Amino acid sequence: KASFAVCVKGLDFPTEDVSLRLIEWIELLKILGVNRISFYQYEVHPNISAVLKFYQKEQLVSVEPISLPGPSSNLHSMRRAIFHDKRVVRRQHEVIPY
């Protein structure tokens, strides 16, 4: 079996607690043989942060902080508006870390 990794676009869940779903997904990836999961993180709920730290200690996960470049606002409400209203711009921002 070959080793493989998964790269995840910027997490942006400062008020939504999706930590249980994240655990389920990470555990599924482990079952499928993933050796490394790389996350990019804008802002996350404290429970999500705790989950990511747990898996970092297990050396399964790496987390890189990310922010929007240039004149783009990094306030959550502004970033959400950019990502929702301007899908092409959102896709362009997602390409940068990849």
Side-chain angles (χ1 to χ4, degrees):
K1 159 169 107 170
S3 299
F4 70 98
V6 173
C7 185
V8 182
K9 66 182 181 178
L11 296 176
D12 193 25
F13 299 100
T15 59
E16 301 166 67
D17 183 6
V18 295
S19 57
L20 294 177
R21 291 184 69 192
L22 182 61
I23 292 168
E24 292 172 344
W25 185 69
I26 291 171
E27 290 297 323
L28 175 62
L29 290 178
K30 280 174 52 177
I31 290 168
L32 295 173
V34 169
N35 299 92
R36 191 74 164 169
I37 307 168
S38 297
F39 287 93
Y40 291 96
Q41 177 181 313
Y42 289 104
E43 290 180 72
V44 295
H45 187 277
N47 291 345
I48 296 171
S49 184
V51 167
L52 294 172
K53 286 178 185 173
F54 172 82
Y55 286 107
Q56 281 179 298
K57 288 179 186 173
E58 301 279 312
Q59 297 184 348
L60 177 65
V61 161
S62 66
V63 179
E64 292 294 327
I66 190 170
S67 60
L68 296 179
S72 300
S73 175
N74 279 290
L75 294 172
H76 174 67
S77 59
M78 298 297 286
R79 188 172 54 243
R80 266 264 154 97
I82 291 169
F83 287 173
H84 184 267
D85 296 338
K86 301 176 182 177
R87 294 187 185 266
V88 171
V89 172
R90 181 176 79 187
R91 297 289 183 243
Q92 291 169 336
H93 284 303
E94 289 173 350
V95 170
I96 292 168
Y98 298 145

